[in-house]
Amino acid sequence: MLPETLLLRLELMALSDLYTSILDNDRLEDWPGMFVDDCLYEIIPRENEEMGLPAPVMLCDNIRMLRDRVVALRHANIYEKVAYRHMVSGLEFTAAEDGTITATSSYVVVNTSLAGFSEVYQAGSYRDIIVRTEMGLRYKSRRCVFDTLKVQTLLAVPI
Amino acid sequence: MLPETLLLRLELMALSDLYTSILDNDRLEDWPGMFVDDCLYEIIPRENEEMGLPAPVMLCDNIRMLRDRVVALRHANIYEKVAYRHMVSGLEFTAAEDGTITATSSYVVVNTSLAGFSEVYQAGSYRDIIVRTEMGLRYKSRRCVFDTLKVQTLLAVPI
Amino acid sequence: MLPETLLLRLELMALSDLYTSILDNDRLEDWPGMFVDDCLYEIIPRENEEMGLPAPVMLCDNIRMLRDRVVALRHANIYEKVAYRHMVSGLEFTAAEDGTITATSSYVVVNTSLAGFSEVYQAGSYRDIIVRTEMGLRYKSRRCVFDTLKVQTLLAVPI
Protein backbone atom coordinates (compact mmCIF):
# COMPACT_ATOMS: atom_id res chain seq x y z
CA MET A 1 0.00 0.00 0.00
CA LEU A 2 1.17 3.45 -0.94
CA PRO A 3 0.82 6.09 1.78
CA GLU A 4 -1.16 9.16 0.70
CA THR A 5 1.82 11.45 1.19
CA LEU A 6 4.09 9.41 -1.11
CA LEU A 7 1.40 9.39 -3.79
CA LEU A 8 1.15 13.17 -3.53
CA ARG A 9 4.95 13.37 -3.72
CA LEU A 10 4.88 11.49 -7.02
CA GLU A 11 2.20 13.82 -8.39
CA LEU A 12 4.22 16.87 -7.35
CA MET A 13 7.32 15.45 -9.02
CA ALA A 14 5.32 14.92 -12.22
CA LEU A 15 4.15 18.55 -12.04
CA SER A 16 7.69 19.84 -11.52
CA ASP A 17 9.03 17.66 -14.33
CA LEU A 18 6.40 18.93 -16.73
CA TYR A 19 7.26 22.53 -15.82
CA THR A 20 10.94 21.80 -16.47
CA SER A 21 10.22 20.03 -19.73
CA ILE A 22 8.12 22.90 -21.05
CA LEU A 23 10.77 25.52 -20.32
CA ASP A 24 13.78 23.42 -21.33
CA ASN A 25 12.22 22.44 -24.65
CA ASP A 26 11.17 25.97 -25.55
CA ARG A 27 7.45 25.23 -25.36
CA LEU A 28 6.79 28.60 -23.76
CA GLU A 29 3.19 28.67 -25.03
CA ASP A 30 2.40 25.76 -22.68
CA TRP A 31 3.86 27.53 -19.66
CA PRO A 32 0.83 29.65 -18.64
CA GLY A 33 -1.33 26.52 -18.65
CA MET A 34 0.57 25.24 -15.61
CA PHE A 35 -1.01 28.00 -13.53
CA VAL A 36 -4.58 28.74 -12.43
CA ASP A 37 -6.14 31.93 -13.81
CA ASP A 38 -5.77 33.89 -10.61
CA CYS A 39 -2.11 33.18 -10.04
CA LEU A 40 1.14 34.75 -8.93
CA TYR A 41 4.51 34.24 -10.62
CA GLU A 42 7.54 36.17 -9.54
CA ILE A 43 11.30 36.07 -9.59
CA ILE A 44 12.83 37.83 -6.62
CA PRO A 45 16.36 38.08 -5.16
CA ARG A 46 16.83 36.16 -1.93
CA GLU A 47 18.06 39.24 -0.12
CA ASN A 48 14.87 41.13 -0.85
CA GLU A 49 12.75 38.13 0.09
CA GLU A 50 14.51 37.78 3.42
CA MET A 51 14.28 41.49 4.24
CA GLY A 52 10.63 41.59 3.20
CA LEU A 53 11.40 44.12 0.48
CA PRO A 54 9.25 43.48 -2.57
CA ALA A 55 11.38 44.13 -5.62
CA PRO A 56 10.84 41.26 -8.03
CA VAL A 57 12.72 41.29 -11.31
CA MET A 58 9.67 39.66 -12.88
CA LEU A 59 6.09 39.74 -11.63
CA CYS A 60 2.87 38.42 -13.15
CA ASP A 61 -0.24 38.28 -11.00
CA ASN A 62 -2.69 36.59 -13.32
CA ILE A 63 -2.59 34.16 -16.21
CA ARG A 64 -3.09 36.85 -18.88
CA MET A 65 0.17 38.47 -17.80
CA LEU A 66 1.91 35.12 -18.23
CA ARG A 67 0.50 34.83 -21.74
CA ASP A 68 1.46 38.42 -22.56
CA ARG A 69 5.00 37.70 -21.48
CA VAL A 70 5.23 34.71 -23.77
CA VAL A 71 3.95 36.74 -26.71
CA ALA A 72 6.42 39.51 -25.89
CA LEU A 73 9.28 37.02 -25.71
CA ARG A 74 8.37 35.52 -29.07
CA HIS A 75 8.40 38.95 -30.72
CA ALA A 76 11.30 40.56 -28.89
CA ASN A 77 14.81 40.54 -30.21
CA ILE A 78 16.38 42.40 -27.37
CA TYR A 79 17.56 39.41 -25.43
CA GLU A 80 19.88 36.56 -26.22
CA LYS A 81 18.07 33.29 -26.89
CA VAL A 82 18.46 30.96 -23.93
CA ALA A 83 18.92 27.21 -23.68
CA TYR A 84 18.00 26.43 -20.10
CA ARG A 85 18.31 23.12 -18.31
CA HIS A 86 16.51 23.12 -14.97
CA MET A 87 17.71 20.79 -12.24
CA VAL A 88 15.33 20.51 -9.28
CA SER A 89 15.72 18.73 -5.94
CA GLY A 90 14.86 18.85 -2.27
CA LEU A 91 11.08 18.81 -2.61
CA GLU A 92 9.38 19.38 0.75
CA PHE A 93 5.66 19.99 1.09
CA THR A 94 2.63 20.10 3.35
CA ALA A 95 -1.01 19.72 2.37
CA ALA A 96 -3.67 21.76 4.15
CA GLU A 97 -7.17 20.51 5.07
CA ASP A 98 -8.64 22.06 1.93
CA GLY A 99 -6.12 20.33 -0.31
CA THR A 100 -3.91 23.35 -0.93
CA ILE A 101 -0.27 22.32 -1.05
CA THR A 102 2.64 24.46 0.09
CA ALA A 103 5.95 23.29 -1.37
CA THR A 104 9.58 24.30 -1.64
CA SER A 105 12.41 22.91 -3.72
CA SER A 106 15.92 23.90 -4.79
CA TYR A 107 16.75 24.67 -8.39
CA VAL A 108 19.85 25.16 -10.48
CA VAL A 109 19.43 26.45 -14.01
CA VAL A 110 22.29 25.80 -16.42
CA ASN A 111 22.27 27.93 -19.55
CA THR A 112 24.16 27.49 -22.78
CA SER A 113 25.12 30.75 -24.46
CA LEU A 114 24.93 31.34 -28.20
CA ALA A 115 28.69 30.86 -28.20
CA GLY A 116 28.12 27.33 -26.95
CA PHE A 117 29.33 27.60 -23.35
CA SER A 118 27.25 25.93 -20.63
CA GLU A 119 27.36 27.50 -17.19
CA VAL A 120 25.35 27.72 -14.00
CA TYR A 121 23.00 30.57 -14.76
CA GLN A 122 20.94 30.81 -11.61
CA ALA A 123 20.52 28.91 -8.34
CA GLY A 124 17.63 29.40 -5.99
CA SER A 125 14.50 28.10 -4.37
CA TYR A 126 10.97 27.60 -5.66
CA ARG A 127 8.28 28.57 -3.12
CA ASP A 128 5.01 27.18 -4.41
CA ILE A 129 1.33 27.08 -3.63
CA ILE A 130 -0.33 24.32 -5.62
CA VAL A 131 -4.03 23.53 -5.97
CA ARG A 132 -5.95 20.63 -7.45
CA THR A 133 -8.13 21.55 -10.42
CA GLU A 134 -10.27 19.50 -12.78
CA MET A 135 -7.23 19.34 -15.05
CA GLY A 136 -4.88 18.16 -12.35
CA LEU A 137 -2.41 20.01 -10.12
CA ARG A 138 -1.70 23.62 -11.04
CA TYR A 139 0.41 26.43 -9.57
CA LYS A 140 -1.58 29.00 -7.67
CA SER A 141 1.69 30.72 -6.89
CA ARG A 142 5.29 30.07 -7.90
CA ARG A 143 7.91 32.34 -6.45
CA CYS A 144 11.49 31.90 -7.69
CA VAL A 145 13.78 33.20 -4.97
CA PHE A 146 17.27 33.34 -6.42
CA ASP A 147 20.68 33.32 -4.74
CA THR A 148 22.65 34.37 -7.79
CA LEU A 149 23.22 38.09 -8.09
CA LYS A 150 25.81 38.10 -10.87
CA VAL A 151 23.84 36.94 -13.89
CA GLN A 152 25.34 36.60 -17.33
CA THR A 153 22.44 37.97 -19.31
CA LEU A 154 19.17 39.82 -18.98
CA LEU A 155 16.54 37.80 -17.16
CA ALA A 156 13.65 37.76 -19.63
CA VAL A 157 12.65 34.10 -19.89
CA PRO A 158 10.81 32.44 -16.98
CA ILE A 159 12.78 30.31 -14.52
CA MET B 1 -4.43 3.47 -5.47
CA LEU B 2 -1.56 4.36 -7.73
CA PRO B 3 -2.49 5.46 -11.24
CA GLU B 4 -0.78 3.43 -13.97
CA THR B 5 1.04 6.46 -15.32
CA LEU B 6 2.61 7.30 -11.94
CA LEU B 7 3.76 3.70 -11.55
CA LEU B 8 5.39 3.88 -14.97
CA ARG B 9 6.98 7.21 -13.98
CA LEU B 10 8.59 5.52 -11.00
CA GLU B 11 9.90 2.69 -13.17
CA LEU B 12 11.35 5.18 -15.65
CA MET B 13 13.04 7.09 -12.84
CA ALA B 14 14.58 3.84 -11.60
CA LEU B 15 15.87 3.13 -15.12
CA SER B 16 17.36 6.62 -15.44
CA ASP B 17 18.93 6.39 -11.99
CA LEU B 18 20.54 3.06 -12.81
CA TYR B 19 21.94 4.50 -16.04
CA THR B 20 23.38 7.43 -14.09
CA SER B 21 24.80 5.21 -11.39
CA ILE B 22 26.54 2.95 -13.90
CA LEU B 23 28.24 5.84 -15.69
CA ASP B 24 29.05 7.90 -12.61
CA ASN B 25 30.60 4.98 -10.79
CA ASP B 26 32.73 3.88 -13.74
CA ARG B 27 30.88 0.59 -14.25
CA LEU B 28 31.09 0.96 -18.01
CA GLU B 29 30.86 -2.80 -18.54
CA ASP B 30 27.25 -2.66 -17.27
CA TRP B 31 26.30 0.13 -19.66
CA PRO B 32 25.50 -1.97 -22.79
CA GLY B 33 23.15 -4.12 -20.71
CA MET B 34 20.79 -1.15 -20.36
CA PHE B 35 20.00 -1.45 -24.07
CA VAL B 36 18.26 -4.07 -26.19
CA ASP B 37 20.39 -5.85 -28.79
CA ASP B 38 19.00 -3.95 -31.73
CA CYS B 39 19.50 -0.46 -30.32
CA LEU B 40 20.57 3.04 -31.20
CA TYR B 41 22.83 5.23 -29.10
CA GLU B 42 24.03 8.55 -30.34
CA ILE B 43 25.36 11.89 -29.18
CA ILE B 44 24.46 14.70 -31.51
CA PRO B 45 24.69 18.51 -31.38
CA ARG B 46 21.33 20.25 -30.94
CA GLU B 47 21.91 22.38 -34.01
CA ASN B 48 22.30 19.34 -36.24
CA GLU B 49 19.29 17.66 -34.66
CA GLU B 50 17.12 20.72 -35.29
CA MET B 51 18.29 21.13 -38.85
CA GLY B 52 17.86 17.43 -39.56
CA LEU B 53 21.55 17.06 -40.34
CA PRO B 54 22.87 13.73 -39.12
CA ALA B 55 26.33 14.33 -37.77
CA PRO B 56 26.59 12.56 -34.44
CA VAL B 57 29.85 12.77 -32.52
CA MET B 58 29.17 9.23 -31.32
CA LEU B 59 26.96 6.60 -32.93
CA CYS B 60 26.33 2.95 -32.06
CA ASP B 61 23.48 1.12 -33.74
CA ASN B 62 23.59 -2.22 -32.01
CA ILE B 63 24.66 -3.59 -28.65
CA ARG B 64 27.95 -5.03 -29.98
CA MET B 65 29.07 -1.55 -30.90
CA LEU B 66 28.33 -0.42 -27.34
CA ARG B 67 30.44 -3.28 -26.00
CA ASP B 68 33.24 -2.53 -28.45
CA ARG B 69 33.27 1.07 -27.31
CA VAL B 70 33.65 0.01 -23.69
CA VAL B 71 36.55 -2.29 -24.54
CA ALA B 72 38.17 0.49 -26.56
CA LEU B 73 37.78 2.93 -23.69
CA ARG B 74 39.35 0.51 -21.23
CA HIS B 75 42.37 0.05 -23.48
CA ALA B 76 42.79 3.58 -24.78
CA ASN B 77 45.07 6.10 -23.21
CA ILE B 78 44.34 8.92 -25.57
CA TYR B 79 41.69 10.61 -23.53
CA GLU B 80 41.70 12.12 -20.08
CA LYS B 81 39.93 9.98 -17.51
CA VAL B 82 36.56 11.47 -16.66
CA ALA B 83 34.62 11.70 -13.42
CA TYR B 84 31.09 12.44 -14.52
CA ARG B 85 28.11 13.27 -12.36
CA HIS B 86 24.85 13.16 -14.30
CA MET B 87 21.95 15.29 -13.11
CA VAL B 88 18.64 14.49 -14.80
CA SER B 89 15.25 16.21 -14.59
CA GLY B 90 12.11 17.09 -16.50
CA LEU B 91 11.03 13.56 -17.40
CA GLU B 92 8.07 13.59 -19.79
CA PHE B 93 6.81 10.47 -21.53
CA THR B 94 4.01 8.79 -23.43
CA ALA B 95 3.30 5.08 -23.74
CA ALA B 96 1.99 3.65 -27.01
CA GLU B 97 -0.58 0.86 -27.30
CA ASP B 98 2.13 -1.75 -27.74
CA GLY B 99 3.91 -0.63 -24.55
CA THR B 100 6.70 1.28 -26.27
CA ILE B 101 7.57 4.40 -24.30
CA THR B 102 8.79 7.65 -25.80
CA ALA B 103 10.51 9.86 -23.23
CA THR B 104 12.52 13.06 -22.94
CA SER B 105 14.47 14.54 -20.06
CA SER B 106 17.04 17.26 -19.47
CA TYR B 107 20.54 16.44 -18.36
CA VAL B 108 23.54 18.31 -17.02
CA VAL B 109 26.82 16.44 -16.73
CA VAL B 110 29.38 17.85 -14.33
CA ASN B 111 32.91 16.59 -14.83
CA THR B 112 35.91 16.79 -12.54
CA SER B 113 39.22 17.14 -14.35
CA LEU B 114 42.39 15.35 -13.33
CA ALA B 115 43.49 18.67 -11.84
CA GLY B 116 40.50 18.44 -9.52
CA PHE B 117 38.25 21.16 -10.92
CA SER B 118 34.52 20.41 -11.24
CA GLU B 119 32.66 22.16 -14.02
CA VAL B 120 29.56 21.81 -16.14
CA TYR B 121 30.77 19.59 -18.95
CA GLN B 122 27.68 19.18 -21.08
CA ALA B 123 23.99 20.14 -20.95
CA GLY B 124 21.37 18.64 -23.19
CA SER B 125 18.34 16.48 -23.66
CA TYR B 126 17.85 12.73 -23.67
CA ARG B 127 15.39 11.54 -26.33
CA ASP B 128 14.54 7.94 -25.53
CA ILE B 129 12.58 5.02 -26.83
CA ILE B 130 12.14 2.44 -24.09
CA VAL B 131 10.73 -1.05 -24.28
CA ARG B 132 9.74 -3.65 -21.73
CA THR B 133 11.76 -6.84 -21.87
CA GLU B 134 11.83 -9.96 -19.70
CA MET B 135 14.60 -8.27 -17.73
CA GLY B 136 12.70 -5.05 -17.21
CA LEU B 137 12.77 -1.74 -19.05
CA ARG B 138 15.58 -1.26 -21.55
CA TYR B 139 16.60 1.47 -24.00
CA LYS B 140 15.70 0.76 -27.59
CA SER B 141 17.11 4.14 -28.47
CA ARG B 142 18.86 6.84 -26.43
CA ARG B 143 19.79 9.99 -28.28
CA CYS B 144 21.81 12.60 -26.35
CA VAL B 145 21.14 15.95 -27.98
CA PHE B 146 23.60 18.42 -26.50
CA ASP B 147 23.47 22.22 -26.23
CA THR B 148 27.10 22.66 -25.27
CA LEU B 149 29.41 23.32 -28.19
CA LYS B 150 32.52 24.36 -26.30
CA VAL B 151 33.61 21.20 -24.54
CA GLN B 152 36.67 20.97 -22.37
CA THR B 153 37.89 17.61 -23.54
CA LEU B 154 37.41 14.97 -26.17
CA LEU B 155 34.03 13.27 -25.95
CA ALA B 156 34.92 9.60 -25.66
CA VAL B 157 32.92 8.32 -22.73
CA PRO B 158 29.13 7.86 -23.04
CA ILE B 159 26.84 10.57 -21.70
CA MET C 1 0.03 -2.69 -7.46
CA LEU C 2 3.27 -1.06 -6.40
CA PRO C 3 6.26 -3.39 -6.09
CA GLU C 4 7.98 -3.22 -2.70
CA THR C 5 11.22 -1.97 -4.22
CA LEU C 6 9.55 1.01 -5.93
CA LEU C 7 7.82 1.94 -2.68
CA LEU C 8 11.18 1.87 -0.92
CA ARG C 9 12.64 3.96 -3.75
CA LEU C 10 10.01 6.61 -3.11
CA GLU C 11 10.75 6.61 0.61
CA LEU C 12 14.49 6.96 -0.05
CA MET C 13 13.83 9.87 -2.42
CA ALA C 14 11.75 11.56 0.28
CA LEU C 15 14.61 11.08 2.74
CA SER C 16 17.17 12.53 0.33
CA ASP C 17 14.89 15.45 -0.50
CA LEU C 18 14.42 16.28 3.16
CA TYR C 19 18.19 16.18 3.70
CA THR C 20 18.66 18.56 0.76
CA SER C 21 15.89 20.86 1.91
CA ILE C 22 17.34 21.12 5.41
CA LEU C 23 20.82 22.05 4.20
CA ASP C 24 19.73 24.29 1.32
CA ASN C 25 17.36 26.27 3.52
CA ASP C 26 19.88 26.77 6.32
CA ARG C 27 17.94 24.67 8.82
CA LEU C 28 21.17 23.20 10.17
CA GLU C 29 19.61 22.47 13.57
CA ASP C 30 17.40 19.84 11.90
CA TRP C 31 20.35 18.12 10.24
CA PRO C 32 21.48 15.85 13.14
CA GLY C 33 17.91 14.54 13.43
CA MET C 34 18.31 12.82 10.07
CA PHE C 35 20.80 10.41 11.68
CA VAL C 36 20.52 7.72 14.34
CA ASP C 37 22.41 8.34 17.58
CA ASP C 38 25.20 5.91 16.81
CA CYS C 39 26.02 7.24 13.37
CA LEU C 40 28.87 8.06 11.03
CA TYR C 41 29.13 11.17 8.89
CA GLU C 42 32.22 11.92 6.92
CA ILE C 43 33.47 13.87 3.93
CA ILE C 44 36.42 12.24 2.24
CA PRO C 45 38.31 12.78 -1.03
CA ARG C 46 37.67 10.11 -3.65
CA GLU C 47 41.35 9.40 -4.01
CA ASN C 48 41.71 8.54 -0.35
CA GLU C 49 38.58 6.43 -0.41
CA GLU C 50 39.83 4.44 -3.39
CA MET C 51 43.27 3.92 -1.89
CA GLY C 52 41.81 2.95 1.46
CA LEU C 53 43.52 5.87 3.15
CA PRO C 54 41.34 7.33 5.86
CA ALA C 55 41.80 11.09 5.77
CA PRO C 56 38.36 12.66 5.95
CA VAL C 57 38.13 16.44 5.88
CA MET C 58 35.16 16.13 8.21
CA LEU C 59 34.31 13.24 10.54
CA CYS C 60 31.56 12.82 13.11
CA ASP C 61 30.94 9.39 14.59
CA ASN C 62 27.91 10.03 16.76
CA ILE C 63 24.96 12.37 16.81
CA ARG C 64 26.43 14.59 19.54
CA MET C 65 29.32 15.45 17.25
CA LEU C 66 26.84 16.44 14.56
CA ARG C 67 25.07 18.73 17.04
CA ASP C 68 28.38 20.18 18.25
CA ARG C 69 29.32 20.99 14.68
CA VAL C 70 26.07 22.85 14.15
CA VAL C 71 26.59 24.88 17.32
CA ALA C 72 30.17 25.64 16.27
CA LEU C 73 29.02 26.75 12.81
CA ARG C 74 26.40 29.05 14.29
CA HIS C 75 29.00 30.72 16.52
CA ALA C 76 31.96 30.76 14.16
CA ASN C 77 32.79 33.70 11.98
CA ILE C 78 35.82 32.22 10.33
CA TYR C 79 34.13 30.88 7.26
CA GLU C 80 32.19 32.55 4.50
CA LYS C 81 28.46 31.98 4.74
CA VAL C 82 27.37 29.43 2.13
CA ALA C 83 24.26 29.18 -0.01
CA TYR C 84 24.26 25.58 -1.16
CA ARG C 85 21.92 23.97 -3.66
CA HIS C 86 22.22 20.18 -3.66
CA MET C 87 21.35 18.28 -6.81
CA VAL C 88 21.11 14.51 -6.34
CA SER C 89 20.61 11.72 -8.85
CA GLY C 90 21.45 8.13 -9.69
CA LEU C 91 19.98 6.50 -6.60
CA GLU C 92 20.84 2.81 -6.43
CA PHE C 93 20.17 0.67 -3.38
CA THR C 94 19.82 -2.78 -1.92
CA ALA C 95 17.93 -3.83 1.19
CA ALA C 96 19.30 -6.56 3.44
CA GLU C 97 17.21 -9.20 5.21
CA ASP C 98 17.20 -7.17 8.43
CA GLY C 99 15.89 -4.07 6.62
CA THR C 100 19.19 -2.20 6.51
CA ILE C 101 19.54 -0.33 3.23
CA THR C 102 22.79 0.33 1.42
CA ALA C 103 22.51 3.17 -1.09
CA THR C 104 24.61 5.32 -3.37
CA SER C 105 23.79 8.45 -5.33
CA SER C 106 25.61 11.20 -7.20
CA TYR C 107 25.57 14.77 -5.96
CA VAL C 108 26.52 18.16 -7.29
CA VAL C 109 26.51 21.08 -4.88
CA VAL C 110 26.24 24.56 -6.38
CA ASN C 111 27.25 27.39 -4.09
CA THR C 112 26.61 31.09 -4.39
CA SER C 113 29.37 33.25 -2.97
CA LEU C 114 28.79 36.41 -0.97
CA ALA C 115 29.69 38.29 -4.14
CA GLY C 116 26.69 36.66 -5.79
CA PHE C 117 28.37 34.21 -8.16
CA SER C 118 26.92 30.69 -8.44
CA GLU C 119 29.34 27.90 -9.29
CA VAL C 120 29.73 24.17 -8.96
CA TYR C 121 31.24 23.82 -5.51
CA GLN C 122 31.61 20.09 -5.14
CA ALA C 123 30.70 16.95 -7.04
CA GLY C 124 30.77 13.50 -5.56
CA SER C 125 28.98 10.42 -4.37
CA TYR C 126 26.91 9.71 -1.27
CA ARG C 127 27.53 6.24 0.19
CA ASP C 128 24.79 5.58 2.70
CA ILE C 129 23.61 3.04 5.20
CA ILE C 130 20.00 3.70 6.11
CA VAL C 131 17.88 2.08 8.81
CA ARG C 132 14.21 2.16 9.66
CA THR C 133 13.42 3.67 13.05
CA GLU C 134 10.15 4.49 14.82
CA MET C 135 10.43 7.95 13.31
CA GLY C 136 10.99 6.74 9.77
CA LEU C 137 14.15 6.20 7.74
CA ARG C 138 17.36 7.61 9.19
CA TYR C 139 21.02 7.62 8.17
CA LYS C 140 23.15 5.16 10.06
CA SER C 141 26.06 6.29 7.94
CA ARG C 142 26.45 8.93 5.25
CA ARG C 143 29.82 9.18 3.59
CA CYS C 144 30.36 12.03 1.10
CA VAL C 145 33.11 10.94 -1.28
CA PHE C 146 34.05 13.98 -3.33
CA ASP C 147 35.69 14.26 -6.74
CA THR C 148 36.46 17.96 -6.51
CA LEU C 149 39.91 18.77 -5.18
CA LYS C 150 40.04 22.45 -6.00
CA VAL C 151 37.45 23.99 -3.71
CA GLN C 152 36.72 27.67 -3.59
CA THR C 153 36.34 28.00 0.14
CA LEU C 154 36.93 26.21 3.41
CA LEU C 155 34.71 23.16 3.80
CA ALA C 156 32.96 23.80 7.10
CA VAL C 157 29.27 23.24 6.39
CA PRO C 158 27.96 19.70 5.85
CA ILE C 159 27.47 18.44 2.30
Side-chain angles (χ1 to χ4, degrees):
Chain A
M1 249 218 5
L2 181 69
E4 197 67 25
T5 173
L6 286 181
L7 174 59
L8 183 51
R9 171 170 290 272
L10 254 181
E11 290 185 276
L12 291 171
M13 290 165 67
L15 183 76
S16 167
D17 276 346
L18 178 57
Y19 185 97
T20 289
S21 183
I22 284 174
L23 291 189
D24 287 4
N25 293 299
D26 194 27
R27 286 160 41 202
L28 278 179
E29 284 73 13
D30 294 336
W31 174 67
M34 306 232 31
F35 293 80
V36 296
D37 290 0
D38 177 23
C39 63
L40 173 72
Y41 176 78
E42 67 172 350
I43 308 180
I44 186 170
R46 185 179 177 159
E47 260 193 335
N48 290 59
E49 164 74 9
E50 286 176 355
M51 295 173 69
L53 297 172
V57 297
M58 198 187 298
L59 172 65
C60 301
D61 63 10
N62 63 66
I63 201 171
R64 288 185 311 281
M65 286 182 72
L66 299 180
R67 291 198 194 107
D68 287 350
R69 172 155 288 269
V70 172
V71 172
L73 283 169
R74 290 299 190 206
H75 290 89
N77 287 307
I78 53 162
Y79 73 99
E80 187 179 315
K81 201 165 180 293
V82 302
Y84 287 165
R85 297 293 164 195
H86 287 69
M87 298 294 127
V88 182
S89 73
L91 173 64
E92 201 178 350
F93 63 93
T94 53
E97 284 287 314
D98 68 354
T100 303
I101 300 147
T102 306
T104 61
S105 49
S106 294
Y107 68 80
V108 170
V109 178
V110 167
N111 186 42
T112 302
S113 66
L114 282 184
F117 291 99
S118 297
E119 289 183 294
V120 174
Y121 174 72
Q122 188 180 104
S125 168
Y126 286 128
R127 319 263 171 108
D128 303 325
I129 300 173
I130 295 157
V131 291
R132 197 173 291 276
T133 74
E134 283 177 16
M135 286 140 65
L137 296 179
R138 290 291 182 277
Y139 295 104
K140 165 78 178 161
S141 167
R142 168 152 268 199
R143 304 174 63 239
C144 313
V145 182
F146 62 95
D147 310 330
T148 316
L149 298 180
K150 299 300 163 60
V151 294
Q152 301 142 294
T153 56
L154 185 65
L155 184 65
V157 179
I159 288 292
Chain B
M1 249 217 6
L2 182 69
E4 198 68 23
T5 173
L6 287 180
L7 174 59
L8 182 51
R9 171 171 290 272
L10 255 179
E11 289 184 277
L12 291 170
M13 291 165 66
L15 183 75
S16 167
D17 276 346
L18 179 58
Y19 186 96
T20 289
S21 182
I22 284 173
L23 290 189
D24 287 4
N25 293 299
D26 195 26
R27 286 160 40 202
L28 278 178
E29 284 72 13
D30 294 336
W31 174 66
M34 306 233 28
F35 293 80
V36 296
D37 289 359
D38 177 23
C39 63
L40 174 72
Y41 176 79
E42 67 173 349
I43 309 180
I44 186 170
R46 184 179 177 159
E47 260 191 334
N48 290 59
E49 163 74 9
E50 287 175 356
M51 295 172 71
L53 298 172
V57 297
M58 197 187 298
L59 172 65
C60 302
D61 63 9
N62 63 65
I63 201 170
R64 288 184 312 280
M65 285 183 73
L66 299 180
R67 290 198 195 106
D68 287 351
R69 172 154 288 268
V70 172
V71 172
L73 283 170
R74 290 300 190 206
H75 289 89
N77 287 307
I78 54 163
Y79 73 99
E80 187 178 316
K81 201 164 180 296
V82 303
Y84 286 167
R85 297 292 162 194
H86 287 69
M87 299 293 127
V88 182
S89 73
L91 172 66
E92 202 178 348
F93 63 94
T94 54
E97 283 287 314
D98 69 353
T100 304
I101 299 148
T102 306
T104 60
S105 49
S106 293
Y107 68 80
V108 170
V109 178
V110 167
N111 185 42
T112 301
S113 66
L114 281 184
F117 291 99
S118 297
E119 288 183 295
V120 173
Y121 173 73
Q122 188 179 104
S125 169
Y126 286 127
R127 319 262 172 108
D128 302 325
I129 300 174
I130 295 156
V131 292
R132 197 174 293 275
T133 74
E134 283 177 16
M135 285 140 66
L137 297 178
R138 291 289 183 277
Y139 295 105
K140 166 77 178 159
S141 167
R142 167 151 271 199
R143 304 175 63 240
C144 313
V145 181
F146 62 95
D147 311 329
T148 316
L149 299 179
K150 300 299 163 59
V151 295
Q152 301 143 296
T153 55
L154 185 64
L155 185 65
V157 179
I159 289 291
Chain C
M1 248 217 8
L2 181 69
E4 197 68 24
T5 171
L6 287 181
L7 174 59
L8 183 51
R9 171 171 290 273
L10 255 180
E11 290 184 276
L12 291 170
M13 290 166 66
L15 183 75
S16 168
D17 276 347
L18 178 58
Y19 186 95
T20 289
S21 183
I22 284 172
L23 290 189
D24 287 4
N25 293 299
D26 194 27
R27 284 160 40 202
L28 279 178
E29 284 72 13
D30 293 337
W31 174 66
M34 306 235 27
F35 293 80
V36 296
D37 289 0
D38 177 22
C39 63
L40 174 72
Y41 176 79
E42 67 172 349
I43 309 179
I44 185 170
R46 186 178 174 159
E47 261 193 335
N48 290 60
E49 163 73 9
E50 287 175 356
M51 295 172 70
L53 297 172
V57 298
M58 197 187 297
L59 172 65
C60 302
D61 64 8
N62 64 64
I63 202 171
R64 287 184 313 280
M65 285 182 74
L66 299 181
R67 290 198 194 109
D68 286 351
R69 173 154 287 268
V70 173
V71 172
L73 283 170
R74 289 300 191 205
H75 289 90
N77 287 307
I78 53 161
Y79 74 99
E80 188 180 316
K81 202 165 181 297
V82 302
Y84 285 166
R85 297 292 163 196
H86 287 70
M87 298 294 128
V88 182
S89 73
L91 173 65
E92 203 178 348
F93 63 93
T94 53
E97 284 287 312
D98 69 353
T100 303
I101 300 147
T102 307
T104 61
S105 49
S106 292
Y107 67 80
V108 170
V109 178
V110 168
N111 186 42
T112 301
S113 66
L114 280 184
F117 291 99
S118 297
E119 289 183 293
V120 173
Y121 174 72
Q122 188 178 105
S125 168
Y126 287 126
R127 320 262 172 108
D128 302 325
I129 300 173
I130 295 156
V131 292
R132 198 174 291 275
T133 73
E134 284 177 15
M135 284 139 68
L137 297 178
R138 291 290 183 277
Y139 295 105
K140 165 79 178 160
S141 167
R142 166 151 271 199
R143 303 175 63 240
C144 313
V145 182
F146 62 96
D147 309 330
T148 316
L149 299 179
K150 299 300 163 60
V151 295
Q152 302 142 295
T153 54
L154 184 63
L155 185 64
V157 178
I159 289 291

